[in-house]
């Protein structure tokens, strides 16, 4: 593991956002959803998330997640991902979303 300093950590824009919309993403190589998230003052952004094993499309809207919003946009199939959805791999490698214990304002930065 590489050690980073505080200045490096401060560069990461890890922000809270609320999922507004979820759509199927059949063009993705691995099963994924397209998610639309409200990051408050940081705007509304779309991303691809490989979270289909643990979550249905219906249960995700309204849920707060943590996302890295200062990566460059990344093309995934025919779609431009605007942020990184964060999560942890379970024992099978399937992604479990990073959860926020209590509601915080959208756009809040992890400190």
């Amino acid at each position: 593991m590489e050690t980073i300093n505080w200045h490096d950590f401060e560069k990461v824009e890890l922000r809270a956002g609320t999922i507004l919309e979820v759509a199927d993403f059949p063009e993705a190589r691995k099963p994924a959803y397209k998610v639309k998230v409200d990051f408050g003052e940081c705007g509304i952004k779309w991303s691809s998330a490989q979270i289909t094993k643990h979550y249905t499309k219906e249960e995700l809207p309204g849920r707060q997640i943590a996302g890295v919003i200062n990566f460059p946009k990344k093309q995934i199939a025919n779609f431009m991902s605007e942020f990184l959805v964060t999560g942890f791999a379970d024992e099978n490698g399937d992604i479990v979303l990073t959860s926020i214990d209590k509601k915080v304002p959208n756009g809040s930065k992890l400190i």
Side-chain angles (χ1 to χ4, degrees):
M1 173 174 45
E2 182 181 347
T3 302
I4 64 170
N5 60 40
W6 186 255
H7 180 69
D8 293 332
F9 177 70
E10 286 183 314
K11 292 178 186 176
V12 180
E13 291 290 329
L14 189 51
R15 302 284 183 141
T18 300
I19 298 175
L20 301 176
E21 188 178 327
V22 181
D24 289 321
F25 190 10
E27 300 87 0
R29 280 184 297 164
K30 295 181 182 178
Y33 296 133
K34 295 177 185 177
V35 293
K36 181 181 182 181
V37 176
D38 180 359
F39 286 103
E41 64 186 29
C42 300
I44 294 174
K45 299 180 182 296
W46 283 91
S47 185
S48 169
Q50 295 174 3
I51 56 173
T52 60
K53 294 286 185 184
H54 288 291
Y55 306 96
T56 64
K57 291 186 308 185
E58 295 75 22
E59 71 184 290
L60 291 168
R63 183 184 186 118
Q64 272 199 317
I65 63 167
V68 178
I69 64 168
N70 63 329
F71 280 130
K73 291 180 181 179
K74 180 178 181 180
Q75 184 160 355
I76 302 170
N78 61 344
F79 175 75
M80 289 301 287
S81 181
E82 300 175 297
F83 73 96
L84 174 70
V85 175
T86 62
F88 299 93
D90 69 9
E91 62 278 355
N92 298 313
D94 299 319
I95 302 302
V96 176
L97 288 169
T98 303
S99 68
I100 297 174
D101 187 22
K102 299 201 184 318
K103 188 164 176 51
V104 297
N106 288 335
S108 294
K109 184 174 180 177
L110 181 76
I111 53 172

